Amino acid sequence: MSYQQLSERFQQLHHYRHLLSIAGWDQATMMPAKGNDARANAIAELSGLCHRISTASEVYDWLNAAEQETLTHEQQANLREIKRQLTHAQALPESLVLAQSKAGAKCEHAWRQQRIDNDWAGFAKNLKEVVQLSREEASLRAEQTGLSRYDALMDLYEPGMRSAEVDRVFGDLRQWLPDLIQQVQTQQKSQVITQPQGPFSIEQQKQLGQYAMQLLGFDFDAGRLDVSSHPFCGGVPEDVRLTTRYNTDSFAESLMGVIHETGHARYEQNLPKNWLGQPVAEARSMGIHESQSLFFEMQIARSRSFLSHLAPEISRIFGAQAAFDPENLYQLYTRVEPGLIRVDADEVTYPAHVMLRYEIEQALIEGQIEVEHIPDLWQANMQRYLGLNTAGNYKDGCMQDIHWTDGSFGYFPSYTLGAMYAAQWFHCIQQQLPQVENQIAQGDLGQISQWLNQHIWQQASFLTTPELVQQASGEALNPSYFRQHLENRYLHNLR
Amino acid sequence: MSYQQLSERFQQLHHYRHLLSIAGWDQATMMPAKGNDARANAIAELSGLCHRISTASEVYDWLNAAEQETLTHEQQANLREIKRQLTHAQALPESLVLAQSKAGAKCEHAWRQQRIDNDWAGFAKNLKEVVQLSREEASLRAEQTGLSRYDALMDLYEPGMRSAEVDRVFGDLRQWLPDLIQQVQTQQKSQVITQPQGPFSIEQQKQLGQYAMQLLGFDFDAGRLDVSSHPFCGGVPEDVRLTTRYNTDSFAESLMGVIHETGHARYEQNLPKNWLGQPVAEARSMGIHESQSLFFEMQIARSRSFLSHLAPEISRIFGAQAAFDPENLYQLYTRVEPGLIRVDADEVTYPAHVMLRYEIEQALIEGQIEVEHIPDLWQANMQRYLGLNTAGNYKDGCMQDIHWTDGSFGYFPSYTLGAMYAAQWFHCIQQQLPQVENQIAQGDLGQISQWLNQHIWQQASFLTTPELVQQASGEALNPSYFRQHLENRYLHNLR
Ligand SMILES: [Zn+2]
Ligand SMILES: [Zn+2]
């Protein structure tokens, strides 16, 4: 049976990717400097094998034959996802993949210093090469999928999502977000916030992070928390590896980072066990993944109810401080301040950073603009959305992210789609569980977890994204819940 | 060129084994419980691939063709080692390998409880299965290599070593070791030793371990120290992963364990960089490997000169104690006490444990005895060599080790061969560097490292073991240096 053979091939890939994932985690958390070359070579070797066995000719024979076989509903869904992954895998000639990985590595390596030096001219030279190759990639993927060039790239991260849809929801956002940012800032001007006084030891911050993870349902028998310079959620569904980094002057970044990654982790830890190893058991999309991390970070953790529960534990660990008053913590963690850096942005200004990048990268991939035009567009939109001037400041402007540097065009929209989905899930839960704020205030996330488990985690990729959103919330992606959430929290001082 | 193709295949295997090794290290040090099944499956998948690509038919075609090609001396040595590895790899049908891994896993799993319960009857039943399969393995390997059955197994760990040679050196040992043990015990009766007073915190023990590693030349940019329940030296030559375990009542076990593993680590860290990935760049044998760990632990670290250097650091870390007087430490770390457990044995009684096991496992594999006979033979030889009674005490007798449980017959001799090689290296160094004890006392291991690097580490597997021993020390393996070392240290109170 050809379906069976396909499914065994993916099981095999799953095992290889397990080792790649752990080796990648180790590289970021444990590996000493001199181990890097050997590790990179080992990872490249097994990645190459994975690519070869995913694109071997027999796989396409099996795929064609399997489409004629009688399959259960679940197997059909799996076959759909297998086909999707194989289509993406075979789109590119190996020569292009190699050229991209080389250009990306070169650009990224030079960028680390160029960013420090604010050296746009030097960076632009390498970036042009990366963009050129990404355009080639986009053309090939577009040819194969019948999508536009940018959509063909975005489809890697957001299967089924199209620019037309992104334009619809971002178009809505563009209408009201800049005003909202203004209003919130005016309103928050009168706030008097007490800053927590450090230092906060790494050991205590780790304790607080683990307390929060426990509270949020992370299974420590199936995962760990470690340190890396760029926090991520890695490992495998059976053994999820979170990372954070600690700054002894402030514990908020690590705490909120850990909570964010815990959202990603719970999704991974609760993917359907019986199907692990098959594409249908993977997370639905980057946007849906981000909807889990942002649900935990933004919808739960930065709420008044959650912070009222967490405050006593913060005092217990670090010793009592006036700043640990729940309402003060709430004001701290919902403070809105337009800034130049995306990863430091608050919940309200973050989508502005994303929209700006989406507009530029789409035009860049579609060939409507060139690398030279980026700084001016950046400057104009930072002014328009956030009222900030970045003229001449490339390092805190268009040189700040790694995404373009290594050729990951099409990824940025996922962040804001995730924020919108998260608001939509929370709205839906509030309708079904009127006591939800009380439960959060009591540290009881049982029913919330149950809802997410049933509607998101266990669904994995059995449904398409629109089907998933429809089934979970009774309607399609609707950005008005995100707006409502921001207005409730930031203008009406609720939640 | 066929040699080139062989060499590329081994480079590929090296990359895969890198990932297996890191995954194995992670499993022992980092992995949470629920990750185990997925990890075991992933490791099995890639191990299976390694076996398939080592035994694919083209590999043997390349091997035959390569033997006709014009090669450098070094390439010839590499080809010899490639041939050796391939011969071992193709000796067994996959069905036997699978049956062994299943029987070994079953026996080992049950053993963990059976050992606690002193349940010899239950254990013997599983062990018979393991022995039966190891005998099949030995027959197949014997057929292919023309060696005796036991020698064919031992050749996996000690290439070129034969029972005849082991009998020669163990025969010598058997003559004088039991008497020596008696004499040392009589002499040590009058010692008054002060025991260090704990507790010794894990943090402080780790600090001491890392101090010793640094002193002994471990490169922390190319390796780490972590915790596992069974200490080992793993990772890859470019990134060596040591482990230890801590007991807060006593720091000696962890300290000496770390020093021992550091010996293994320095060998790995200093294998010839230009050849890494090729069989000729691997460590020569388990015995030569153990000669490095025992050189560091026994020849260096338990010497008066080293302990006089280490004592101030011990006091600095744990606070001053009378027990930390260098001479007291020396007496502590050279105390001889016959005991039932091999892994707890001191330098003098350890070879008795090995001889006893060697005699039993050799007879078992050659079919001269059966599993039922093990306890009586064990009892008789423990009495003969160490004057101890183990009748009825299986758990501290023939059930104590994991080696037979998982079918690793032929490994035990390496431990004592290693001790003998180590004594021979140190004797040789003493001849060439009359100031060596002074250097050790000053914590200066530069010249010793240089000697080991030149004669052992950089040699890797370019020479056969007898050639290596001859070139390094000017003569063949000579057990009299080990005897001299033990008599000097334990009877004449030198070193
Ligand atoms: Zn995230
Ligand atoms: Zn050892």
Side-chain angles (χ1 to χ4, degrees):
Chain A
M1 196 175 147
S2 292
Y3 171 83
Q4 190 58 33
Q5 285 175 298
L6 272 179
S7 130
E8 279 163 21
R9 177 60 55 93
F10 274 87
Q11 199 65 49
Q12 193 183 8
L13 281 164
H14 178 67
H15 292 146
Y16 293 153
R17 286 173 184 152
H18 175 125
L19 299 172
L20 288 171
S21 185
I22 295 299
W25 171 86
D26 182 271
Q27 196 172 22
T29 56
M30 299 286 158
M31 192 188 72
K34 289 183 188 166
N36 195 54
D37 286 354
R39 180 66 50 85
N41 290 334
I43 288 178
E45 183 86 54
L46 190 56
S47 303
L49 178 78
C50 286
H51 186 256
R52 284 197 304 281
I53 67 172
S54 327
T55 54
S57 59
E58 71 265 23
V59 173
Y60 298 96
D61 299 340
W62 294 336
L63 187 60
N64 290 328
E67 289 185 323
Q68 313 306 318
E69 291 172 351
T70 309
L71 301 174
T72 66
H73 269 299
E74 285 166 324
Q75 288 173 330
Q76 282 170 28
N78 192 31
L79 190 61
R80 181 194 65 221
E81 295 303 315
I82 286 175
K83 190 174 178 180
R84 197 180 73 75
Q85 291 199 3
L86 292 178
T87 307
H88 281 303
Q90 75 170 356
L92 306 184
E94 209 165 325
S95 59
L96 178 59
V97 175
L98 274 174
Q100 285 188 297
S101 114
K102 235 170 113 176
K106 181 182 153 198
C107 185
E108 186 185 325
H109 183 80
W111 165 71
R112 298 197 180 279
Q113 187 56 45
Q114 286 162 344
R115 191 183 170 201
I116 295 168
D117 302 340
N118 198 38
D119 176 11
W120 165 251
F123 177 65
K125 223 173 120 242
N126 291 330
L127 183 61
K128 268 184 223 167
E129 230 181 293
V130 171
V131 168
Q132 184 46 46
L133 293 165
S134 287
R135 284 175 174 174
E136 277 180 49
E137 177 187 354
S139 292
L140 288 167
R141 293 197 186 281
E143 237 168 79
Q144 211 196 25
T145 54
L147 298 174
S148 80
R149 306 206 295 170
Y150 182 75
D151 284 4
L153 293 186
M154 188 168 59
D155 196 69
L156 289 167
Y157 312 109
E158 288 301 313
M161 181 57 69
R162 306 290 171 250
S163 308
E165 173 80 351
V166 177
D167 287 340
R168 177 178 72 82
V169 293
F170 282 17
D172 179 81
L173 203 59
R174 202 176 288 115
Q175 303 291 315
W176 50 264
L177 188 67
D179 270 0
L180 178 68
I181 294 171
Q182 289 289 337
Q183 288 176 55
V184 175
Q185 279 186 276
T186 310
Q187 202 166 306
Q188 290 191 344
K189 256 194 198 126
S190 58
Q191 281 181 351
V192 183
I193 300 183
T194 312
Q195 294 294 332
Q197 297 303 310
F200 305 98
S201 80
I202 290 178
E203 206 29 70
Q204 287 168 322
Q205 288 194 52
K206 187 175 166 188
Q207 210 181 319
L208 178 60
Q210 286 177 331
Y211 173 84
M213 288 167 77
Q214 196 99 49
L215 190 62
L216 296 171
F218 183 88
D219 181 356
F220 280 97
D221 288 333
R224 322 174 23 107
L225 171 66
D226 294 278
V227 173
S228 73
S229 57
H230 300 280
F232 64 96
C233 169
V236 294
E238 302 92 338
D239 177 4
V240 176
R241 306 286 174 98
L242 295 198
T243 72
T244 187
R245 67 179 155 208
Y246 300 107
N247 163 6
T248 52
D249 293 336
S250 163
F251 62 87
E253 291 73 17
S254 176
L255 173 63
M256 288 299 156
V258 163
I259 289 172
H260 178 99
E261 302 303 338
T262 300
H264 287 304
R266 291 218 65 197
Y267 193 3
E268 291 291 317
Q269 285 186 331
N270 291 287
L271 290 166
K273 291 270 177 296
N274 293 336
W275 284 87
L276 285 183
Q278 297 302 312
V280 78
E282 295 175 19
R284 182 58 280 182
S285 78
M286 291 300 122
I288 300 296
H289 227 309
E290 201 65 12
S291 83
Q292 299 309 293
S293 53
L294 293 177
F295 186 95
F296 277 77
E297 182 191 350
M298 300 303 179
Q299 300 298 326
I300 297 180
R302 290 184 198 257
S303 71
R304 268 209 182 74
S305 29
F306 186 82
L307 290 169
S308 73
H309 182 81
L310 196 64
E313 185 65 18
I314 294 176
S315 294
R316 203 189 59 72
I317 290 176
F318 298 118
Q321 290 194 18
F324 300 160
D325 166 70
E327 188 59 24
N328 187 66
L329 287 176
Y330 176 72
Q331 292 190 359
L332 263 169
Y333 297 159
T334 55
R335 185 82 188 165
V336 173
E337 230 147 348
L340 298 177
I341 305 297
R342 175 183 59 86
V343 297
D344 297 337
D346 55 78
E347 187 179 11
V348 181
T349 58
Y350 201 105
H353 291 272
V354 169
M355 279 197 294
L356 172 156
R357 285 158 178 76
Y358 165 70
E359 290 159 23
I360 293 175
E361 70 175 13
Q362 192 196 21
L364 200 57
I365 293 298
E366 297 292 359
Q368 298 152 353
I369 62 164
E370 295 304 325
V371 166
E372 291 76 14
H373 304 126
I374 295 177
D376 285 348
L377 281 167
W378 195 283
Q379 157 72 0
N381 281 337
M382 281 302 279
Q383 196 68 58
R384 177 156 68 119
Y385 295 148
L386 295 175
L388 295 175
N389 182 7
T390 60
N393 184 356
Y394 307 104
K395 68 176 195 296
D396 299 325
C398 56
M399 284 177 75
Q400 70 182 268
D401 295 310
I402 202 169
H403 300 60
W404 294 345
T405 306
D406 71 2
S408 303
F409 296 94
Y411 189 100
F412 279 120
S414 299
Y415 293 114
T416 293
L417 293 172
M420 291 176 170
Y421 289 131
Q424 191 159 337
W425 310 147
F426 197 81
H427 171 83
C428 198
I429 289 173
Q430 278 180 315
Q431 302 298 306
Q432 293 170 26
L433 305 171
Q435 294 305 305
V436 66
E437 293 289 357
N438 281 339
Q439 290 173 357
I440 294 173
Q442 281 154 35
D444 170 12
L445 294 165
Q447 287 196 286
I448 294 180
S449 289
Q450 229 167 36
W451 191 96
L452 293 171
N453 191 47
Q454 182 188 335
H455 293 92
I456 314 286
W457 304 338
Q458 288 293 311
Q459 296 302 327
S461 292
F462 283 106
L463 306 172
T464 64
T465 310
E467 288 168 353
L468 178 81
V469 178
Q470 183 72 40
Q471 281 209 13
S473 66
E475 60 180 309
L477 172 58
N478 181 348
S480 71
Y481 298 116
F482 183 52
R483 181 180 187 173
Q484 219 171 77
H485 159 69
L486 294 183
E487 289 179 350
N488 278 344
R489 175 172 288 171
Y490 294 92
L491 289 185
H492 312 319
N493 205 18
L494 302 164
R495 296 214 68 233
Chain B
M1 196 178 147
S2 292
Y3 171 82
Q4 191 57 32
Q5 285 174 299
L6 272 178
S7 132
E8 280 163 20
R9 177 61 54 95
F10 274 87
Q11 200 66 47
Q12 191 182 9
L13 281 164
H14 179 67
H15 292 147
Y16 293 155
R17 286 174 184 150
H18 176 124
L19 299 172
L20 289 171
S21 185
I22 295 300
W25 171 84
D26 182 271
Q27 196 172 24
T29 55
M30 299 286 157
M31 193 189 70
K34 289 183 188 167
N36 195 53
D37 287 353
R39 180 65 52 85
N41 289 335
I43 288 177
E45 183 85 55
L46 190 57
S47 304
L49 178 79
C50 287
H51 186 254
R52 285 198 302 282
I53 66 171
S54 327
T55 54
S57 59
E58 70 266 21
V59 173
Y60 299 97
D61 298 341
W62 294 337
L63 187 61
N64 290 327
E67 288 184 323
Q68 312 308 317
E69 291 172 351
T70 308
L71 301 174
T72 66
H73 268 297
E74 285 166 325
Q75 289 173 330
Q76 283 172 28
N78 192 32
L79 189 61
R80 180 193 66 220
E81 295 304 315
I82 286 175
K83 191 174 179 178
R84 196 180 74 73
Q85 292 198 5
L86 291 178
T87 308
H88 282 303
Q90 76 168 355
L92 307 184
E94 208 165 326
S95 60
L96 178 59
V97 176
L98 274 174
Q100 284 188 297
S101 114
K102 235 171 112 175
K106 182 182 152 196
C107 185
E108 188 185 322
H109 183 81
W111 165 71
R112 299 198 179 275
Q113 187 56 46
Q114 285 161 346
R115 192 185 168 197
I116 295 168
D117 301 340
N118 200 37
D119 175 12
W120 165 250
F123 177 66
K125 221 172 121 242
N126 290 332
L127 183 60
K128 267 184 223 168
E129 231 180 291
V130 172
V131 168
Q132 184 45 47
L133 293 166
S134 286
R135 283 174 174 172
E136 277 179 49
E137 177 187 352
S139 292
L140 288 167
R141 292 195 186 282
E143 237 168 76
Q144 212 198 23
T145 53
L147 300 173
S148 82
R149 307 209 295 170
Y150 182 76
D151 284 3
L153 293 186
M154 188 167 60
D155 195 69
L156 289 168
Y157 311 108
E158 288 302 312
M161 182 56 68
R162 306 290 171 247
S163 308
E165 173 80 350
V166 176
D167 288 339
R168 175 177 75 82
V169 294
F170 283 16
D172 178 82
L173 205 59
R174 202 176 287 112
Q175 304 290 313
W176 51 264
L177 188 68
D179 271 1
L180 178 68
I181 293 170
Q182 288 290 336
Q183 288 175 56
V184 175
Q185 280 187 276
T186 311
Q187 204 166 307
Q188 289 191 343
K189 257 196 198 121
S190 57
Q191 282 179 349
V192 183
I193 300 184
T194 311
Q195 292 294 333
Q197 297 304 308
F200 304 100
S201 80
I202 290 176
E203 205 31 66
Q204 287 169 322
Q205 289 194 53
K206 187 175 165 189
Q207 209 182 320
L208 179 60
Q210 287 178 330
Y211 174 84
M213 287 167 77
Q214 196 99 50
L215 191 61
L216 296 170
F218 183 88
D219 181 355
F220 279 97
D221 289 333
R224 318 176 23 107
L225 171 66
D226 294 277
V227 174
S228 72
S229 58
H230 301 279
F232 64 95
C233 170
V236 293
E238 301 91 338
D239 176 6
V240 176
R241 305 286 174 98
L242 295 198
T243 72
T244 187
R245 67 181 155 211
Y246 300 106
N247 163 6
T248 52
D249 292 337
S250 162
F251 63 86
E253 291 74 15
S254 176
L255 174 64
M256 287 300 157
V258 163
I259 289 171
H260 178 99
E261 301 302 339
T262 299
H264 286 304
R266 291 218 66 195
Y267 193 3
E268 290 290 320
Q269 285 185 332
N270 291 287
L271 289 166
K273 292 270 177 294
N274 292 336
W275 284 87
L276 285 183
Q278 297 302 311
V280 77
E282 294 175 20
R284 182 57 280 182
S285 79
M286 292 298 124
I288 299 295
H289 228 309
E290 201 66 13
S291 84
Q292 299 309 293
S293 53
L294 293 176
F295 186 95
F296 277 79
E297 181 190 351
M298 300 303 178
Q299 300 297 329
I300 296 180
R302 290 184 199 260
S303 72
R304 266 207 182 76
S305 30
F306 186 82
L307 291 168
S308 74
H309 182 81
L310 196 63
E313 185 65 16
I314 294 177
S315 295
R316 203 190 59 75
I317 289 177
F318 297 119
Q321 291 195 18
F324 299 160
D325 166 71
E327 187 60 25
N328 187 67
L329 286 176
Y330 176 71
Q331 291 190 2
L332 263 168
Y333 296 158
T334 55
R335 184 81 189 169
V336 173
E337 229 147 352
L340 298 177
I341 304 298
R342 175 182 60 85
V343 295
D344 297 338
D346 56 77
E347 186 179 12
V348 181
T349 58
Y350 201 106
H353 291 272
V354 170
M355 278 198 295
L356 172 157
R357 284 159 177 76
Y358 165 69
E359 290 159 22
I360 293 175
E361 69 175 15
Q362 191 196 21
L364 199 58
I365 292 299
E366 297 292 359
Q368 297 153 355
I369 62 164
E370 295 302 327
V371 167
E372 292 77 15
H373 303 127
I374 295 176
D376 285 348
L377 280 167
W378 195 284
Q379 158 71 1
N381 280 337
M382 281 301 279
Q383 198 67 61
R384 177 156 69 118
Y385 295 147
L386 294 176
L388 295 175
N389 182 7
T390 60
N393 184 356
Y394 306 105
K395 69 175 193 297
D396 299 326
C398 57
M399 283 176 74
Q400 70 183 263
D401 294 310
I402 203 170
H403 301 59
W404 294 346
T405 306
D406 71 1
S408 302
F409 296 95
Y411 189 100
F412 280 120
S414 300
Y415 293 114
T416 292
L417 293 172
M420 291 174 170
Y421 288 130
Q424 191 158 336
W425 310 148
F426 197 80
H427 170 83
C428 199
I429 289 172
Q430 278 179 315
Q431 301 298 303
Q432 293 170 25
L433 305 172
Q435 293 306 307
V436 65
E437 293 289 357
N438 280 340
Q439 290 172 356
I440 295 174
Q442 282 155 33
D444 169 13
L445 295 166
Q447 286 196 290
I448 295 179
S449 289
Q450 227 167 41
W451 192 96
L452 294 171
N453 190 46
Q454 181 186 339
H455 294 92
I456 315 288
W457 304 338
Q458 288 292 313
Q459 296 301 325
S461 291
F462 283 106
L463 307 171
T464 65
T465 309
E467 287 167 352
L468 178 81
V469 178
Q470 184 73 40
Q471 280 209 14
S473 67
E475 62 180 306
L477 171 60
N478 182 348
S480 71
Y481 298 114
F482 184 52
R483 179 179 189 175
Q484 221 173 77
H485 160 69
L486 293 183
E487 289 180 349
N488 279 344
R489 176 173 287 173
Y490 294 93
L491 288 185
H492 312 318
N493 204 18
L494 304 164
R495 292 215 71 235

